[in-house]
Amino acid sequence: MQKKIYVVGMFDSESAASVQKAVEAVPGVSKVVANADKAQVLVDHEGADENAINAAISSCGVDVVG
């Protein structure tokens, strides 16, 4: 299943890379693409806890908006 998550506070490729790395560590996540220009994170997952995905994003200082 793919989920598109909109975020605020991911302004450059460095912050996008941090978000991508954090979300990849969540069990059940198979692929992550964080795009600072579009302010979104695309997550492919099977059975991953969506709260854990959001927490991983937030741990990087980025706010999840939807």
Side-chain angles (χ1 to χ4, degrees):
M1 178 166 117
Q2 187 175 71
K3 179 172 177 72
K4 185 184 296 184
I5 303 168
Y6 291 97
V7 298
V8 174
M10 188 172 62
F11 299 114
D12 56 21
S13 59
E14 187 175 309
S15 60
S18 294
V19 168
Q20 191 163 313
K21 185 175 181 180
V23 175
E24 286 173 341
V26 175
V29 171
S30 57
K31 182 178 177 184
V32 181
V33 178
N35 187 319
D37 293 333
K38 293 182 179 181
Q40 69 184 19
V41 181
L42 295 176
V43 182
D44 288 340
H45 69 89
E46 290 300 323
D49 180 4
E50 291 188 20
N51 290 328
I53 293 170
N54 292 343
I57 294 169
S58 296
S59 74
C60 299
V62 176
D63 296 323
V64 175
V65 293

